[in-house]
Amino acid sequence: MKKLLFLLLAVLGTASCEAAPGSQPTQDDHRFAELPKPQAGEAVATFASGCYWCAEHVFESLKGVRTVISGHSGGTTVSPTYEQVGRGGTGHAEAIQVYYDPKVISFETLLKVFFVQHDPTTLNRQGPDAGEEYRSIAFYRTPQEKAQIEAEIKRVNASRRYSSPIVTQVVPFKVFYPAERYHQDYFVHHPENPYIQTVSTPRYQHFAREFPQLLQTK
């Protein structure tokens, strides 16, 4: 489905979440990124909200966030490649892992950002990307985080921010596999990519307009 959609969008002049021609990754780029260890006092959160290129940039721009890693979670295949996840059958979704200081930014605030920076009402789809790897998931590590996620879903649904109910999965965290190196900080390193220009940048700008007070100062 993803490949068919990619071909259709290419004809229409819109890109999908794949490396653009002319910017193909090298052999070294295909190595998996390293997974950071939390620093003293840090907490970790994991979310899936469609293509991780933009989601990574959104969360990395928040005050109190040290770093964000793009990868895959929610499935059964060990250390899957981007291509394996895209072909389906791994059960994984494109996800990000957020390393943050809970004294500066709370898990509740991360949830508010999560439910604004993507459309949590579309099942197995975000914008031009379709497939189970683009499904919306909020992972929890503790019963308290689960309760906070469920409370935020209830609050957003009650606010009628979206015309349809939220379909985000609330899933216990098990394991996160970093994606290949070339996916990390893709938004920053490849501003010329058509997908970044037409999908990721408007999505980021929408988030930035809603939460200007949360943005790091450069």
Side-chain angles (χ1 to χ4, degrees):
M1 177 64 180
K2 177 181 175 183
K3 298 302 181 183
L4 177 61
L5 185 64
F6 174 70
L7 292 174
L8 176 61
L9 292 170
V11 172
L12 296 176
T14 305
S16 66
C17 186
E18 299 194 22
S23 62
Q24 296 301 320
T26 65
Q27 184 175 359
D28 187 60
D29 289 334
H30 273 288
R31 294 172 58 189
F32 290 117
E34 294 183 6
L35 190 63
K37 292 183 179 179
Q39 295 182 351
E42 273 190 339
V44 182
T46 307
F47 303 107
S49 57
C51 181
Y52 39 44
W53 292 348
C54 182
E56 177 190 23
H57 187 63
V58 165
F59 282 88
E60 213 158 40
S61 70
L62 297 172
K63 295 176 183 177
V65 171
R66 175 173 64 90
T67 191
V68 180
I69 301 296
S70 290
H72 304 100
S73 193
T76 56
T77 300
V78 176
S79 296
T81 65
Y82 174 73
E83 287 74 17
Q84 285 177 311
V85 173
R87 285 196 296 268
T90 68
H92 286 294
E94 291 196 14
I96 57 166
Q97 191 137 287
V98 184
Y99 296 77
Y100 68 100
D101 183 349
K103 294 180 180 179
V104 179
I105 187 167
S106 65
F107 185 71
E108 293 97 325
T109 299
L110 293 180
L111 286 174
K112 292 183 187 304
V113 172
F114 170 73
F115 283 110
V116 165
Q117 58 84 40
H118 80 300
D119 184 350
T121 70
T122 52
L123 185 64
N124 296 335
R125 186 186 188 105
Q126 280 299 307
D129 300 311
E132 69 170 358
E133 69 268 34
Y134 298 113
R135 69 191 186 275
S136 176
I137 311 174
F139 296 92
Y140 63 88
R141 288 170 167 78
T142 66
Q144 180 184 11
E145 288 186 349
K146 180 182 180 183
Q148 290 171 332
I149 295 168
E150 292 173 340
E152 184 63 12
I153 290 174
K154 184 177 180 180
R155 186 192 71 80
V156 176
N157 277 332
S159 73
R160 299 194 180 278
R161 178 186 183 92
Y162 301 103
S163 58
S164 300
I166 288 175
V167 296
T168 299
Q169 296 177 343
V170 182
V171 176
F173 176 79
K174 293 183 179 179
V175 64
F176 175 87
Y177 298 107
E180 294 84 347
R181 291 182 177 184
Y182 75 93
H183 286 294
Q184 311 304 323
D185 292 317
Y186 197 93
F187 187 104
V188 173
H189 296 312
H190 298 282
E192 79 292 342
N193 183 292
Y195 185 95
I196 296 298
Q197 294 178 352
T198 61
V199 179
S200 297
T201 295
R203 176 175 161 183
Y204 173 79
Q205 291 171 339
H206 168 72
F207 142 77
R209 285 192 299 269
E210 184 122 1
F211 295 104
Q213 74 281 8
L214 299 181
L215 296 175
Q216 296 181 20
T217 56
K218 303 300 182 180

